[in-house]
Amino acid sequence: MSKMNIRSTFFILLFLGAFVSLSAQEKEASHQYETRFERIAQEQLDAYNAKDIDSFLKSYAEDVKVYRFPDRLLYQGKDKMRDTYKRMFETIPNLHCTLENRIVEQNVVIDKEKVQLGDKTIRATAIYVIKDFRIKEVYFIQ
């Protein structure tokens, strides 16, 4: 099996595993965590749209890894993320992300987004993997 197929199979199994039958208490506890994870994703999106770099970075782990899906590491670490996003916030006047759809499964948040980048609009999917209530990994599909 190729590396791409293994990675794709992993993500499919990760998302399917979220549909395993849970008791009522487990479902309630799971919902509470999903709500917290969704809030983390929403807070970073709101800060992104406000171009507030410090608030944006609060949602991320110090050693966050950002990938182009499925496995191409773009960069690692909050310092590199600060440099990347601060430059975008300062140089793209009408930078804005509109959330089109969101799926929350356990500690994974998947956002379908429309992003305005200057005079260009792109559609992208962001997969946020949250651990210890910080975004630990991000996978971008576009």
Side-chain angles (χ1 to χ4, degrees), residues 90-139:
E90 293 173 348
T91 61
I92 303 174
N94 64 339
L95 180 69
H96 186 80
C97 180
T98 302
L99 181 65
E100 295 185 327
N101 193 24
R102 175 172 283 156
I103 298 170
V104 182
E105 291 295 342
Q106 296 181 13
N107 67 318
V108 178
V109 178
I110 306 165
D111 285 353
K112 180 72 176 158
E113 305 168 340
K114 182 172 75 171
V115 183
Q116 185 70 39
L117 297 166
D119 60 354
K120 184 167 106 175
T121 301
I122 64 168
R123 290 205 179 331
T125 301
I127 302 168
Y128 302 102
V129 179
I130 300 170
K131 295 180 182 168
D132 298 323
F133 300 103
R134 294 284 183 264
I135 300 170
K136 184 82 167 170
E137 297 174 1
V138 182
Y139 296 85

Side-chain angles (χ1 to χ4, degrees), residues 27-51:
K27 284 181 183 177
E28 178 59 29
S30 176
H31 176 70
Q32 289 173 354
Y33 279 112
E34 287 174 6
T35 301
R36 290 179 83 179
F37 297 141
E38 182 174 10
R39 190 173 335 130
I40 292 165
Q42 187 61 47
E43 286 171 354
Q44 67 85 38
L45 176 61
D46 292 343
Y48 175 95
N49 284 333
K51 297 183 181 183

Side-chain angles (χ1 to χ4, degrees), residues 57 60-68 71-85 135-138 140:
L57 292 172
Y60 290 89
E62 288 296 324
D63 59 346
V64 61
K65 292 181 182 178
V66 179
Y67 295 90
R68 174 162 290 130
D71 59 0
R72 182 174 161 232
L73 181 64
L74 299 175
Y75 60 86
Q76 180 175 352
K78 219 180 211 184
D79 290 338
K80 179 65 176 167
M81 179 174 263
R82 176 181 292 280
D83 294 342
T84 301
Y85 280 88
I135 300 170
K136 184 82 167 170
E137 297 174 1
V138 182
F140 289 114

